[in-house]
Amino acid sequence: MKVLVPIAFVAIVASLGWALVAMMRGDSSSGDAQRSRRMARALTMRIGLSIALFALILLAHWMGWIQPTGLPAR
């Protein structure tokens, strides 16, 4: 889990960067429709990775692989 979570965060940020590049690319040969599809695909991937990471953290907590270490409840 200590390796998987940072890898997932890097993948999420990379996907966000990919969407930024697709949005900012100014070549007129690809057209606006193709640029929009690439950006939407990258943002969809980011959302999917975020949901998968959240589900993985919930599963890991439920299975006992990770323990909460926050402030104790009173």
Side-chain angles (χ1 to χ4, degrees), residues 11-69:
I12 290 168
V13 171
S15 177
L16 191 59
W18 184 28
L20 176 67
V21 168
M23 181 179 71
M24 298 302 290
R25 184 161 291 170
D27 59 344
S28 60
S29 62
S30 64
D32 287 337
Q34 186 178 4
R35 191 175 348 168
S36 294
R37 275 194 302 266
R38 277 187 282 163
M39 186 175 67
R41 190 179 316 129
L43 292 175
T44 302
M45 184 184 301
R46 183 189 65 85
I47 292 169
L49 287 170
S50 298
I51 291 171
L53 177 62
F54 184 71
L56 179 68
I57 291 172
L58 286 178
L59 177 71
H61 177 65
W62 182 71
M63 297 289 285
W65 298 339
I66 58 173
Q67 298 296 323
T69 59

